[in-house]
Each structure stands twice: as structure tokens, then as C-alpha cells.
């Protein structure tokens, strides 16, 4: 049987695994599903059509699954889906999706979401990301695996942040940030390759050299975007394991909606 504090209010219709722990004064709505090993801290509210996977740790005072803050939202049956092993710290707000897209806000697995983070409607957050304190993701933002967003940063709606990208402290992110890159400053500017993060994740020296070459083609050689894309594509087959990195960057550039940060 789930460990539910006697002061918690859990709707009988909620689907709570027997290995879930729910703290004092938490409120769990009728359409909530919570997987094994997840802990819910005191005073947390989980509502809406929210599905939470296994072994998540949700700290006190979080608001999970509240309706979208989009003024056009009309009560449609939208969802919030959260994966496994995420840490969600105090006072975070994660909202349901809207019908402007698939109707789902998606959080992957193994993410580290610090205090006061806001994840708005229709956001898609990958795996292994870090969102530092007070990072704010507006609606329809996409964040790739292993990306890091610095504290007090705001990400404009529809912006895409690529896998392994690093956003510096207090950034205003209004354009897409390609994979593997570091961006910071006011106004936001692309600084370099995120070498520290990539080394921590086991990228070989050869792959790192390839990514630095792609960065140079995209940002330093004075090429048009079209010419840079062609030159990056021509690097295929040059480094063992590097084609996946090339494909990651080219797919991101092909789907960029707001232009890439310069």
C-alpha cells in the first residue's frame, strides 16, 4: 500500500502505485497516475490529466498539472506526461498542454529541475537536462537531451534548444540555440562549443574536433547558412561515430523556427 500521510488529500480515482510516498497536506486529483518509487513532498498539488513515471522525487510546494496559462485555453482534455527519475524541486510549476499542438506537455527522464522553474504548456523537455533556479520555459519550447539552462533565464515561446547546449546565467533566449553550443550574454550570443559538458559525457577527442569544425563552419567562416549546412554534411564519414553528431546538428538546423542565435 502507498505511504500516504493522513493529512494528504488523494482522490479515490487517482491511480497511485503501492510504492509511492505522499507527504503531508499534498493534494492529488482524480485523473493523476503516479508510478512506483515516486515521492511527493508536503503541500504539493498534482492535478489534471497528469501521468508521472517511476522514481521521481517531487519536493514540497510544487504545482504539477495545473491548466495552461495560455489565455486561449478553453478547458480541453490536455495532458502532462512526466518520465522517470526526475528531480523536481520546490515551487516548480509544470502545466498541461493546449490543443495548439498535440495537447501534451512532455517531460523526459533523469532531469534535474531546480526551484521555481516554470515549464509552460506544450513544452517538450528531453532527458538528462538541467534547469537551474528560476529558469522559465514559455509555451511550445523544445529542449534537447543533456541541455543545461542557467538560473534566472527566460526562453521565448517556440524556441528550440539543441542537445548538449549550454545556456548561461540570466539569459534571454529568443532564438534557437544549436546542439553542442554555449550561449550567454546580453544580448544573447553564441560563444563556443560546450566542450566541458561534452567531455563529461565521454565524447572522444575526435568527435570533439569534429564538433569544433562544425562550429567553425557555422559561425566563423563567413558562410551563408545554406553553404555551412552543405559543408557540414560533407564531413560525414570523417570521424568514427561522428555521423550521428552531424545528423543531430543538421536536423536541428532544418527544423529551426526562430532563426539561430548568432
Amino acid at each position: 500500500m502507498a505511504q500516504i500521510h493522513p493529512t494528504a488529500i488523494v482522490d479515490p480515482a487517482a491511480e497511485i502505485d503501492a510504492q509511492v510516498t505522499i507527504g503531508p497536506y499534498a493534494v492529488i486529483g482524480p485523473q493523476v497516475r503516479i508510478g512506483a518509487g515516486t515521492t511527493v513532498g508536503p503541500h504539493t498539488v498534482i492535478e489534471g490529466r497528469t501521468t508521472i513515471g517511476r522514481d521521481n522525487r517531487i519536493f514540497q510546494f510544487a504545482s504539477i498539472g495545473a491548466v495552461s496559462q495560455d489565455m486561449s485555453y478553453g478547458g480541453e482534455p490536455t495532458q502532462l506526461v512526466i518520465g522517470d527519475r526526475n528531480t523536481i524541486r520546490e515551487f516548480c510549476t509544470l502545466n498541461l498542454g493546449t490543443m495548439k499542438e498535440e495537447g501534451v506537455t512532455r517531460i523526459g527522464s533523469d532531469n534535474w529541475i531546480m526551484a521555481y522553474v516554470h515549464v509552460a504548456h506544450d513544452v517538450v523537455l528531453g532527458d538528462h537536462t538541467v534547469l537551474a533556479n528560476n529558469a522559465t520555459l514559455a509555451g511550445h519550447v523544445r529542449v534537447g537531451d543533456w541541455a543545461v539552462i542557467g538560473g534566472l533565464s527566460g526562453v521565448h515561446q517556440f524556441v528550440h534548444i539543441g542537445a548538449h547546449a549550454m545556456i548561461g546565467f540570466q539569459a534571454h533566449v529568443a532564438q534557437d540555440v544549436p546542439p553542442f553550443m554555449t550561449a550567454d550574454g546580453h544580448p544573447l550570443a553564441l560563444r563556443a562549443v560546450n566542450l566541458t559538458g561534452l567531455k563529461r559525457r565521454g565524447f572522444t577527442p575526435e568527435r570533439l574536433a569534429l564538433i569544433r569544425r562544425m562550429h567553425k563552419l557555422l559561425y566563423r567562416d563567413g558562410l551563408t547558412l545554406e553553404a555551412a549546412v552543405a559543408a557540414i554534411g560533407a564531413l560525414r564519414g570523417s570521424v568514427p561515430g561522428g555521423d550521428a553528431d552531424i545528423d543531430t546538428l543538421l536536423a536541428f538546423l532544418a527544423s529551426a523556427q526562430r532563426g539561430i542565435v548568432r
Side-chain angles (χ1 to χ4, degrees):
M1 179 178 292
Q3 299 180 46
I4 302 174
H5 193 275
T7 63
I9 300 173
V10 179
D11 193 285
E15 298 180 25
I16 310 297
D17 188 90
Q19 299 180 50
V20 168
T21 300
I22 299 176
Y25 302 102
V27 178
I28 311 296
Q31 297 172 307
V32 172
R33 295 185 293 172
I34 304 178
T38 291
T39 62
V40 178
H43 297 276
T44 292
V45 177
I46 306 178
E47 56 187 310
R49 291 172 173 82
T50 296
T51 300
I52 300 173
R54 301 175 58 93
D55 300 317
N56 294 282
R57 190 176 182 190
I58 302 172
F59 282 70
Q60 55 268 27
F61 301 105
S63 174
I64 311 295
V67 299
S68 164
Q69 296 183 66
D70 188 324
M71 294 178 67
S72 68
Y73 177 73
E76 296 86 356
T78 57
Q79 301 180 65
L80 168 65
V81 177
I82 299 173
D84 304 326
R85 299 175 302 279
N86 296 289
T87 295
I88 301 172
R89 293 300 305 236
E90 300 84 351
F91 300 101
C92 288
T93 53
L94 283 62
N95 292 163
L96 300 175
T98 69
M99 297 309 295
K100 291 181 178 179
E101 292 197 49
E102 298 178 1
V104 183
T105 302
R106 296 187 185 276
I107 310 296
S109 298
D110 300 296
N111 297 293
W112 189 260
I113 302 174
M114 298 187 196
Y116 291 95
V117 165
H118 176 60
V119 178
H121 58 90
D122 306 293
V123 165
V124 176
L125 184 67
D127 301 330
H128 301 285
T129 69
V130 176
L131 276 59
N133 297 300
N134 288 101
T136 300
L137 308 184
H140 312 280
V141 166
R142 301 286 184 269
V143 181
D145 297 346
W146 298 100
V148 177
I149 300 178
L152 297 170
S153 295
V155 184
H156 194 283
Q157 62 183 351
F158 295 102
V159 159
H160 291 186
I161 295 173
H164 301 281
M166 170 76 186
I167 307 299
F169 170 72
Q170 217 171 41
H172 172 206
V173 187
Q175 290 183 299
D176 296 348
V177 180
F180 314 117
M181 307 301 171
T182 296
D184 68 1
H186 301 279
L188 191 74
L190 201 294
R191 301 300 179 184
V193 172
N194 182 18
L195 288 176
T196 299
L198 296 174
K199 288 177 181 178
R200 288 174 178 170
R201 291 161 209 145
F203 278 63
T204 64
E206 293 78 12
R207 288 176 70 191
L208 292 175
L210 173 65
I211 291 169
R212 295 181 73 175
R213 177 60 180 150
M214 292 193 293
H215 166 263
K216 187 171 184 291
L217 289 167
L218 191 58
Y219 284 100
R220 298 288 183 259
D221 284 357
L223 301 177
T224 65
L225 180 58
E226 182 180 7
V229 164
I232 291 168
L235 297 174
R236 285 193 176 94
S238 61
V239 171
D243 284 5
D245 302 325
I246 293 170
D247 292 343
T248 294
L249 179 56
L250 292 182
F252 182 92
L253 295 174
S255 65
Q257 296 187 24
R258 294 186 55 83
I260 61 172
V261 66
R262 303 305 295 179

